[in-house]
Amino acid sequence: MHLADIIGYIAAILSVICFIPQAIRVIQTKDTNAISFWMYFLFLLSVIFWLIYGLMMSSFPIILKNILVIIFVGIILSMKIRGLRKNKKAS
């Protein structure tokens, strides 16, 4: 394995780990009030483009990282959307 691959895997692992605490907290508390919808939406969009880039470059660390981040960000964003709909119905 090349040094660049090792660095890529380390970066991928750290990037994914960043979202685990937030995803766990949102799942446990169902509280998304402090989370910006637009930030997560734009971030999800950027990660999708990073995944496409990884696929085009055949870079497994980039592909793996972005698939995992899409899952975690998708969970958080979907719960945010549910919260927004719930708040809208309550109004």
Side-chain angles (χ1 to χ4, degrees):
M1 186 178 292
H2 295 98
L3 179 60
D5 290 330
I6 294 169
I7 291 171
Y9 281 110
I10 292 170
I13 290 167
L14 293 174
S15 296
V16 172
I17 288 173
C18 290
F19 287 95
I20 293 174
Q22 185 70 62
I24 290 171
R25 181 168 170 81
V26 167
I27 290 167
Q28 288 176 341
T29 66
K30 310 258 188 290
D31 180 16
T32 60
N33 289 326
I35 296 172
S36 168
F37 167 80
W38 288 108
M39 186 291 257
Y40 270 88
F41 176 77
L42 292 172
F43 184 71
L44 180 61
L45 195 59
S46 73
V47 173
I48 290 168
F49 278 98
W50 274 112
L51 174 59
I52 294 167
Y53 173 78
L55 290 167
M56 292 171 74
M57 300 302 291
S58 299
S59 174
F60 189 71
I62 293 174
I63 294 167
L64 178 63
K65 174 257 185 191
N66 288 297
I67 288 172
L68 294 173
V69 170
I70 286 169
I71 291 168
F72 287 116
V73 172
I75 290 168
I76 294 167
L77 190 58
S78 68
M79 293 189 78
K80 177 66 176 179
I81 292 168
R82 284 187 205 146
L84 291 171
R85 286 181 182 163
K86 183 179 170 183
N87 291 341
K88 191 173 182 179
K89 286 180 183 179
S91 296

